[in-house]
Amino acid sequence: MNGRLTRWEDANIHVTSEALIRGMSVFEGIKGYWRHDGSELCVLALREHYERLTRSALLQHLPFSMAYEEFRDACFLLIRKLMVKDRDLWLRPTIFAVEGQWGEFTVTDLVITSYHQDKKRPAPMDVGFSTWQRPADTALSARIKSPANYQIGRLARIEGRRQGFADMILLNPAGRIAEATGSCVLMVRNGRVVTPPPHEGCLESITVNIVEGLCASLGIPFERRPIERTELAVSDGVCLAGTLMELGRVRKLEARTLPESMPILERIADEFWACVRGERPHLGVHLTPVPAPDT
Ligand code: PMP
């Protein structure tokens, strides 16, 4: 925070800041994975996350001029302080508006927080359709990773919990699939992996881009096109894709139990896991090792 390692209890911002009173911030979620042999911790797609953070800040008129190298080194500084052998890490860089009002005289600060993560693959989950929607791009763009989008996601999760669902899929104003509360939707239909493009109301997902690259090398057809709710409901398999979610198989979609074995999704998930753990190199899976302090 403010360019320095800061203790948790000292990481404060003022209650009158636009970050608080108008929710003015943008953020990222980034994963650090230990290599399969435990030799080093690597950050997945660090540059891609930096670039999306920069785009979110630009769209939200939050000044952010930090170079990639400086951002990367700030992540390294925090990771080195927190990393422990048996846990992966999740980093949350957030750009807050700490001064200024209504977009005038805005001053921002970049704060990076980090949390330990269990090294385990996601369990299959039950997912429903929410009555809450992703708004149109002209109202609240899903392309901007801003907390405002998560206010809708939060309502959807509250709605889902009451119905026994672990996560919820949000539709766009046209009634087609947008995304889940913190991940994108992938379906398998007739041997193809299909996902809605960002103009359908989803974040420009880095995980989906990785899946696209894995599909290309595995020889699995991959397509971005709109998906109607009824098409998802009769698909051969569904999974949620995101940095924190990784690739989580949907076991039950609303009332329908999906087939237990989904070979295509299993192959992709196995490949994803092997690549992020550094077992197999892949051109589309960018791992940045965290260097020792004196290098
Ligand atoms: N949609 C939403 C709303 C998300 O929060 C996320 C997670 N960042 C995603 C999609 C997936 O994006 P990514 O694969 O880049 O993590």
Side-chain angles (χ1 to χ4, degrees):
M1 183 176 201
N2 239 324
R4 284 189 306 274
L5 278 177
T6 307
R7 293 182 67 83
W8 184 269
E9 54 273 26
D10 299 329
N12 302 313
I13 58 166
H14 201 269
V15 288
T16 64
S17 63
E18 220 181 5
L20 191 78
I21 62 170
R22 291 193 193 94
M24 261 311 134
S25 68
V26 291
F27 71 102
E28 272 302 316
I30 308 178
K31 203 60 205 284
Y33 288 97
W34 280 100
R35 273 194 195 277
H36 65 107
D37 57 5
S39 59
E40 54 188 359
L41 193 131
C42 298
V43 185
L44 178 63
L46 185 54
R47 190 181 281 275
E48 288 88 336
H49 283 285
Y50 163 81
E51 284 170 357
R52 191 171 62 191
L53 182 66
T54 307
R55 293 197 299 273
S56 292
L58 176 77
L59 288 166
Q60 205 68 282
H61 299 271
L62 292 170
F64 180 60
S65 56
M66 189 182 257
Y68 167 69
E69 289 71 21
E70 202 185 340
F71 175 79
R72 180 199 61 196
D73 291 349
C75 293
F76 286 167
L77 185 71
L78 185 66
I79 292 172
R80 278 197 213 103
K81 193 82 185 164
L82 295 178
M83 65 193 217
V84 286
K85 271 280 171 195
D86 55 337
R87 314 286 307 278
D88 290 330
L89 281 177
W90 183 70
L91 289 109
R92 190 197 204 268
T94 309
I95 299 173
F96 291 105
V98 291
E99 277 177 43
Q101 296 295 341
W102 296 110
E104 284 189 303
F105 314 113
T106 309
V107 177
T108 60
D109 189 12
L110 170 73
V111 180
I112 311 173
T113 46
S114 182
Y115 309 83
H116 290 135
Q117 295 287 310
D118 286 339
K119 289 188 195 176
K120 62 170 198 273
R121 292 173 62 161
M125 73 210 124
D126 298 346
V127 172
F129 289 109
S130 179
T131 56
W132 296 100
Q133 283 183 353
R134 272 284 168 254
D137 188 63
T138 46
L140 178 62
S141 177
R143 185 170 277 115
I144 309 175
K145 199 163 164 63
S146 80
N149 274 316
Y150 294 84
Q151 295 186 6
I152 300 165
R154 182 174 176 273
L155 291 172
R157 283 212 192 177
I158 290 169
E159 180 183 35
R161 267 200 299 272
R162 285 202 289 261
Q163 301 166 29
F165 295 125
D167 205 342
M168 296 295 267
I169 292 173
L170 299 149
L171 306 178
N172 63 22
R176 293 188 295 266
I177 306 302
E179 60 181 353
T181 60
S183 52
C184 282
V185 177
L186 299 171
M187 79 168 180
V188 177
R189 188 109 212 263
N190 303 324
R192 308 173 78 79
V193 174
V194 188
T195 192
H199 64 69
E200 288 290 288
C202 57
L203 188 68
E204 294 181 336
S205 161
I206 293 163
T207 314
V208 170
N209 290 347
I210 291 175
V211 168
E212 185 174 21
L214 297 179
C215 285
S217 50
L218 292 169
I220 299 169
F222 178 94
E223 195 180 348
R224 292 179 200 258
R225 64 162 173 81
I227 302 174
E228 285 167 327
R229 175 180 169 152
T230 51
E231 190 185 16
L232 193 74
V234 297
S235 67
D236 305 324
V238 180
C239 98
L240 303 183
T243 298
L244 197 56
M245 170 68 70
E246 298 174 333
L247 296 175
R249 185 167 78 80
V250 175
R251 181 177 51 192
K252 222 168 127 189
L253 180 63
E254 288 278 314
R256 180 185 166 214
T257 302
L258 294 164
E260 188 136 328
S261 167
M262 293 182 213
I264 291 184
L265 292 179
E266 277 152 31
R267 271 178 75 202
I268 298 168
D270 288 348
E271 194 65 13
F272 179 85
W273 193 253
C275 291
V276 297
R277 294 266 167 225
E279 269 174 72
R280 270 198 289 282
H282 191 282
L283 277 177
V285 182
H286 304 143
L287 297 176
T288 304
V290 178
D294 52 352
T295 56

Short mmCIF file of all heavy atoms in Angstrom, two decimals, residues 27-29 49 52 134 145 150 179-184 202-208 241-244, ligand 1:
data_model
loop_
_atom_site.label_atom_id
_atom_site.label_comp_id
_atom_site.label_asym_id
_atom_site.label_seq_id
_atom_site.Cartn_x
_atom_site.Cartn_y
_atom_site.Cartn_z
N PHE A 27 -10.17 -3.79 -9.65
CA PHE A 27 -9.26 -4.77 -9.04
C PHE A 27 -8.97 -5.94 -9.96
O PHE A 27 -9.53 -6.05 -11.05
CB PHE A 27 -9.82 -5.25 -7.70
CG PHE A 27 -11.03 -6.14 -7.81
CD1 PHE A 27 -10.91 -7.51 -7.66
CD2 PHE A 27 -12.29 -5.62 -8.06
CE1 PHE A 27 -12.02 -8.35 -7.75
CE2 PHE A 27 -13.40 -6.45 -8.16
CZ PHE A 27 -13.26 -7.81 -8.00
N GLU A 28 -8.11 -6.83 -9.49
CA GLU A 28 -7.78 -8.07 -10.19
C GLU A 28 -7.72 -9.21 -9.18
O GLU A 28 -7.57 -8.97 -7.97
CB GLU A 28 -6.41 -7.97 -10.89
CG GLU A 28 -6.47 -7.40 -12.28
CD GLU A 28 -7.38 -8.18 -13.21
OE1 GLU A 28 -7.34 -9.42 -13.22
OE2 GLU A 28 -8.16 -7.54 -13.93
N GLY A 29 -7.81 -10.40 -9.66
CA GLY A 29 -7.57 -11.58 -8.84
C GLY A 29 -6.52 -12.41 -9.57
O GLY A 29 -6.72 -12.75 -10.73
N HIS A 49 -3.03 -9.93 -16.33
CA HIS A 49 -3.82 -9.33 -15.25
C HIS A 49 -3.48 -7.85 -15.11
O HIS A 49 -4.38 -7.02 -14.88
CB HIS A 49 -3.58 -10.06 -13.93
CG HIS A 49 -4.31 -11.37 -13.84
ND1 HIS A 49 -5.67 -11.43 -13.62
CD2 HIS A 49 -3.89 -12.64 -13.97
CE1 HIS A 49 -6.05 -12.71 -13.61
NE2 HIS A 49 -4.98 -13.45 -13.82
N ARG A 52 -5.29 -6.02 -17.87
CA ARG A 52 -6.74 -5.87 -17.64
C ARG A 52 -7.00 -4.85 -16.54
O ARG A 52 -7.94 -4.05 -16.63
CB ARG A 52 -7.39 -7.22 -17.31
CG ARG A 52 -8.92 -7.12 -17.32
CD ARG A 52 -9.59 -8.46 -17.22
NE ARG A 52 -9.28 -9.13 -15.96
CZ ARG A 52 -9.56 -10.39 -15.71
NH1 ARG A 52 -10.16 -11.14 -16.61
NH2 ARG A 52 -9.24 -10.93 -14.55
N ARG A 134 -26.84 -9.44 -15.48
CA ARG A 134 -25.73 -8.57 -15.84
C ARG A 134 -26.32 -7.42 -16.67
O ARG A 134 -27.06 -7.69 -17.62
CB ARG A 134 -24.72 -9.31 -16.73
CG ARG A 134 -23.68 -10.05 -15.99
CD ARG A 134 -22.60 -9.14 -15.41
NE ARG A 134 -21.76 -9.88 -14.47
CZ ARG A 134 -21.81 -9.73 -13.15
NH1 ARG A 134 -22.64 -8.90 -12.57
NH2 ARG A 134 -21.02 -10.42 -12.39
N LYS A 145 -13.57 -4.59 -14.28
CA LYS A 145 -13.59 -5.42 -13.07
C LYS A 145 -13.69 -4.48 -11.87
O LYS A 145 -12.69 -4.13 -11.24
CB LYS A 145 -12.33 -6.30 -13.02
CG LYS A 145 -12.47 -7.47 -12.08
CD LYS A 145 -11.42 -8.52 -12.34
CE LYS A 145 -11.27 -9.49 -11.20
NZ LYS A 145 -12.43 -10.32 -10.90
N TYR A 150 -19.88 -6.77 -8.62
CA TYR A 150 -19.97 -7.83 -7.60
C TYR A 150 -21.12 -7.58 -6.63
O TYR A 150 -21.48 -8.46 -5.86
CB TYR A 150 -18.62 -7.99 -6.90
CG TYR A 150 -17.62 -8.50 -7.91
CD1 TYR A 150 -16.96 -7.61 -8.76
CD2 TYR A 150 -17.42 -9.86 -8.09
CE1 TYR A 150 -16.10 -8.07 -9.75
CE2 TYR A 150 -16.56 -10.33 -9.08
CZ TYR A 150 -15.91 -9.42 -9.90
OH TYR A 150 -15.08 -9.88 -10.88
N GLU A 179 -22.54 -14.74 -17.44
CA GLU A 179 -21.44 -15.36 -16.69
C GLU A 179 -21.96 -15.74 -15.31
O GLU A 179 -23.10 -15.44 -14.96
CB GLU A 179 -20.26 -14.40 -16.57
CG GLU A 179 -20.60 -13.10 -15.86
CD GLU A 179 -19.44 -12.12 -15.74
OE1 GLU A 179 -18.30 -12.45 -16.10
OE2 GLU A 179 -19.70 -10.99 -15.28
N ALA A 180 -21.10 -16.38 -14.52
CA ALA A 180 -21.46 -16.67 -13.13
C ALA A 180 -20.99 -15.50 -12.27
O ALA A 180 -20.53 -14.49 -12.79
CB ALA A 180 -20.84 -18.00 -12.70
N THR A 181 -21.11 -15.61 -10.95
CA THR A 181 -20.82 -14.44 -10.11
C THR A 181 -19.34 -14.09 -10.07
O THR A 181 -18.98 -12.92 -9.89
CB THR A 181 -21.30 -14.67 -8.65
OG1 THR A 181 -20.61 -15.81 -8.13
CG2 THR A 181 -22.79 -14.90 -8.59
N GLY A 182 -18.46 -15.07 -10.27
CA GLY A 182 -17.03 -14.78 -10.25
C GLY A 182 -16.28 -15.62 -11.27
O GLY A 182 -15.09 -15.89 -11.10
N SER A 183 -16.97 -16.01 -12.32
CA SER A 183 -16.30 -16.86 -13.34
C SER A 183 -17.13 -16.85 -14.62
O SER A 183 -18.29 -16.42 -14.62
CB SER A 183 -16.17 -18.30 -12.82
OG SER A 183 -17.41 -18.76 -12.36
N CYS A 184 -16.53 -17.34 -15.69
CA CYS A 184 -17.23 -17.44 -16.97
C CYS A 184 -17.81 -18.85 -17.14
O CYS A 184 -17.45 -19.77 -16.41
CB CYS A 184 -16.28 -17.12 -18.11
SG CYS A 184 -16.02 -15.34 -18.28
N CYS A 202 -19.93 -10.58 -20.17
CA CYS A 202 -19.00 -11.23 -19.24
C CYS A 202 -17.65 -10.53 -19.28
O CYS A 202 -17.33 -9.81 -20.21
CB CYS A 202 -18.85 -12.72 -19.53
SG CYS A 202 -18.30 -13.12 -21.19
N LEU A 203 -16.90 -10.79 -18.23
CA LEU A 203 -15.55 -10.24 -18.14
C LEU A 203 -14.69 -10.86 -19.24
O LEU A 203 -14.91 -12.00 -19.63
CB LEU A 203 -14.98 -10.60 -16.76
CG LEU A 203 -13.66 -9.99 -16.35
CD1 LEU A 203 -13.80 -8.49 -16.14
CD2 LEU A 203 -13.15 -10.64 -15.06
N GLU A 204 -13.71 -10.09 -19.70
CA GLU A 204 -12.74 -10.64 -20.67
C GLU A 204 -11.83 -11.59 -19.89
O GLU A 204 -10.82 -11.18 -19.33
CB GLU A 204 -11.96 -9.51 -21.34
CG GLU A 204 -12.84 -8.63 -22.20
CD GLU A 204 -12.08 -7.50 -22.90
OE1 GLU A 204 -11.00 -7.10 -22.42
OE2 GLU A 204 -12.58 -7.02 -23.93
N SER A 205 -12.20 -12.84 -19.86
CA SER A 205 -11.56 -13.79 -18.93
C SER A 205 -10.21 -14.30 -19.42
O SER A 205 -10.07 -14.77 -20.56
CB SER A 205 -12.50 -14.98 -18.71
OG SER A 205 -11.79 -16.08 -18.21
N ILE A 206 -9.26 -14.25 -18.52
CA ILE A 206 -7.92 -14.75 -18.81
C ILE A 206 -7.92 -16.28 -18.80
O ILE A 206 -7.27 -16.93 -19.61
CB ILE A 206 -6.93 -14.14 -17.80
CG1 ILE A 206 -6.84 -12.62 -18.08
CG2 ILE A 206 -5.57 -14.81 -17.86
CD1 ILE A 206 -6.26 -11.79 -16.97
N THR A 207 -8.70 -16.86 -17.91
CA THR A 207 -8.79 -18.33 -17.86
C THR A 207 -9.41 -18.89 -19.15
O THR A 207 -8.95 -19.90 -19.68
CB THR A 207 -9.63 -18.78 -16.64
OG1 THR A 207 -9.21 -18.03 -15.50
CG2 THR A 207 -9.49 -20.25 -16.37
N VAL A 208 -10.44 -18.20 -19.65
CA VAL A 208 -11.07 -18.66 -20.89
C VAL A 208 -10.06 -18.59 -22.04
O VAL A 208 -9.99 -19.51 -22.88
CB VAL A 208 -12.36 -17.86 -21.20
CG1 VAL A 208 -12.87 -18.16 -22.60
CG2 VAL A 208 -13.44 -18.18 -20.17
N ALA A 241 -15.26 -21.15 -15.30
CA ALA A 241 -13.83 -20.91 -15.51
C ALA A 241 -13.45 -19.55 -14.97
O ALA A 241 -14.04 -18.53 -15.33
CB ALA A 241 -13.51 -20.98 -17.01
N GLY A 242 -12.45 -19.52 -14.10
CA GLY A 242 -11.97 -18.25 -13.57
C GLY A 242 -10.69 -18.47 -12.79
O GLY A 242 -10.34 -19.62 -12.47
N THR A 243 -10.01 -17.38 -12.47
CA THR A 243 -8.73 -17.49 -11.78
C THR A 243 -8.87 -18.22 -10.45
O THR A 243 -8.12 -19.13 -10.14
CB THR A 243 -8.15 -16.08 -11.56
OG1 THR A 243 -7.94 -15.50 -12.85
CG2 THR A 243 -6.84 -16.12 -10.81
N LEU A 244 -9.85 -17.82 -9.66
CA LEU A 244 -10.04 -18.44 -8.35
C LEU A 244 -10.79 -19.76 -8.47
O LEU A 244 -10.48 -20.74 -7.82
CB LEU A 244 -10.80 -17.46 -7.44
CG LEU A 244 -10.75 -17.72 -5.95
CD1 LEU A 244 -9.32 -17.78 -5.44
CD2 LEU A 244 -11.50 -16.62 -5.20
N1 PMP B 1 -16.37 -13.10 -14.51
C1 PMP B 1 -16.29 -12.57 -13.28
C2 PMP B 1 -17.45 -11.78 -12.77
C3 PMP B 1 -15.15 -12.77 -12.51
O1 PMP B 1 -15.06 -12.25 -11.27
C4 PMP B 1 -14.09 -13.55 -13.02
C5 PMP B 1 -12.85 -13.78 -12.18
N2 PMP B 1 -11.91 -12.78 -12.37
C6 PMP B 1 -14.22 -14.08 -14.30
C7 PMP B 1 -15.38 -13.84 -15.02
C8 PMP B 1 -13.12 -14.89 -14.93
O2 PMP B 1 -12.02 -14.09 -15.23
P1 PMP B 1 -10.55 -14.65 -15.13
O3 PMP B 1 -10.53 -15.93 -15.86
O4 PMP B 1 -9.71 -13.64 -15.83
O5 PMP B 1 -10.22 -14.79 -13.69
#
